[in-house]
């Protein structure tokens, strides 16, 4: 079994209204000096295989087809 983490973030230049809202909320809570908050998504997956290369290829396909919108998001795959 292979465990993996996929991190999906907005590409540079894409507006992030949720990040802006978090930035404003942090400021309102007294956490000054926080600038340019960007939010993202994290997926933790377990794959029923021992083949690391096959798992990476499958994870990439998952990201391209479902987990990320590749027009506006980047993704990073980490395999343990």
């Amino acid at each position: 079994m292979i465990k993996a983490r996929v991190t999906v973030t907005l590409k540079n230049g894409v507006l992030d209204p949720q990040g802006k809202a978090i930035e404003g909320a942090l400021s309102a809570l007294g956490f000054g000096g926080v600038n340019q908050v960007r939010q993202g998504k994290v997926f933790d997956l377990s794959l029923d295989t021992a083949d690391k290369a096959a798992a990476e290829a499958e994870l990439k396909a998952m990201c391209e087809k479902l987990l990320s919108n590749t027009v506006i998001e980047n993704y990073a795959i980490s395999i343990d």
Side-chain angles (χ1 to χ4, degrees), residues 44-75:
D44 290 321
L45 301 100
S46 296
L47 287 80
D48 195 20
T49 184
D51 185 343
K52 195 171 184 177
E56 189 167 359
E58 191 170 15
L59 287 160
K60 183 175 179 183
M62 290 177 194
C63 290
E64 296 286 331
K65 292 180 180 181
L66 177 67
L67 300 179
S68 72
N69 177 348
T70 57
V71 173
I72 62 169
E73 294 175 320
N74 293 316
Y75 63 86

Side-chain angles (χ1 to χ4, degrees), residues 6-10 39-43 67-68 73-76:
V6 175
T7 304
V8 179
T9 56
L10 290 170
Q39 63 87 30
K41 302 176 276 193
V42 175
F43 301 94
L67 300 179
S68 72
E73 294 175 320
N74 293 316
Y75 63 86

Side-chain angles (χ1 to χ4, degrees), residues 4-54:
R5 174 167 281 179
V6 175
T7 304
V8 179
T9 56
L10 290 170
K11 290 182 176 181
N12 288 333
V14 175
L15 295 177
D16 186 357
Q18 188 174 2
K20 273 292 193 197
I22 293 167
E23 183 181 325
L26 288 171
S27 178
L29 291 171
F31 298 102
V34 177
N35 296 307
Q36 298 182 358
V37 175
R38 305 281 288 175
Q39 63 87 30
K41 302 176 276 193
V42 175
F43 301 94
D44 290 321
L45 301 100
S46 296
L47 287 80
D48 195 20
T49 184
D51 185 343
K52 195 171 184 177

